[in-house]
Amino acid sequence: MALNARRARQLREAAAPLLLQNEQIQMTTLAGVGSVSVRQQALTAAVVGVLSAGTVMATVTPRPLYLVLTDQRVLFFDGNRGGKPGKLVLNLPRPYVSAGGSKKAFLGLQYVTHLSVAGQEKGLKVTFPVQHRGDGPRFVSALPVTR
């Protein structure tokens, strides 16, 4: 399921002033960017469990960011927890970005890929949540594949 019409319009409006001449938006979606270590997940669960006397369970997830794929760049905007798109967080020139290690995850409910950026040692994990998992393969197919 893609972004709803209102959120997609807000995202296009946020990206419009940043677009280069003749640059076209090809796709908009919401994804979790980054990874959370098992240690951080366990620590958070333990602290919340102790403070709530075991009545509340907490999880830590990657940061939600809106993703705008244009014919020239990949733009990431602050996700504001699914609210109105915020400021530009990351701007990657598309010729330097490739995708690899793509797969379904968490019982097939999410789609995960790893972006590689030329000149960078560490990749960027992008997780498409259940509502937007169909956007994952579309996004990956628009980028070269990392070998």
Side-chain angles (χ1 to χ4, degrees):
M1 177 171 91
L3 293 175
N4 67 40
R6 182 181 66 155
R7 195 66 73 219
R9 179 183 45 78
Q10 290 172 337
L11 188 51
R12 284 191 305 272
E13 288 171 356
L18 304 171
L19 297 179
L20 305 172
Q21 187 174 358
N22 298 324
E23 187 174 16
Q24 299 293 317
I25 294 175
Q26 296 179 333
M27 178 182 171
T28 59
T29 190
L30 179 71
V33 178
S35 59
V36 180
S37 70
V38 173
R39 181 175 181 250
Q40 186 177 4
Q41 289 177 359
L43 182 62
T44 301
V47 169
V48 170
V50 168
L51 293 176
S52 68
T55 59
V56 176
M57 179 67 176
T59 61
V60 182
T61 60
R63 182 177 180 184
L65 295 178
Y66 287 105
L67 189 147
V68 177
L69 180 68
T70 73
D71 55 352
Q72 298 178 29
R73 298 181 289 168
V74 183
L75 305 171
F76 294 90
F77 291 86
D78 185 18
N80 290 326
R81 297 189 180 133
K84 188 174 179 178
K87 66 179 183 170
L88 180 68
V89 175
L90 186 59
N91 175 358
L92 300 173
R94 196 162 159 181
Y96 300 109
V97 178
S98 60
S102 302
K103 63 182 180 192
K104 288 183 180 179
F106 192 65
L107 305 174
L109 298 175
Q110 297 177 338
Y111 190 83
V112 177
T113 190
H114 295 272
L115 298 182
S116 297
V117 180
Q120 299 294 316
E121 281 185 32
K122 194 169 182 180
L124 189 62
K125 183 178 177 183
V126 180
T127 305
F128 294 89
V130 64
Q131 311 90 297
H132 305 286
R133 77 173 172 249
D135 292 338
R138 278 185 42 221
F139 175 71
V140 169
S141 69
L143 297 171
V145 176
T146 303
R147 300 274 177 222

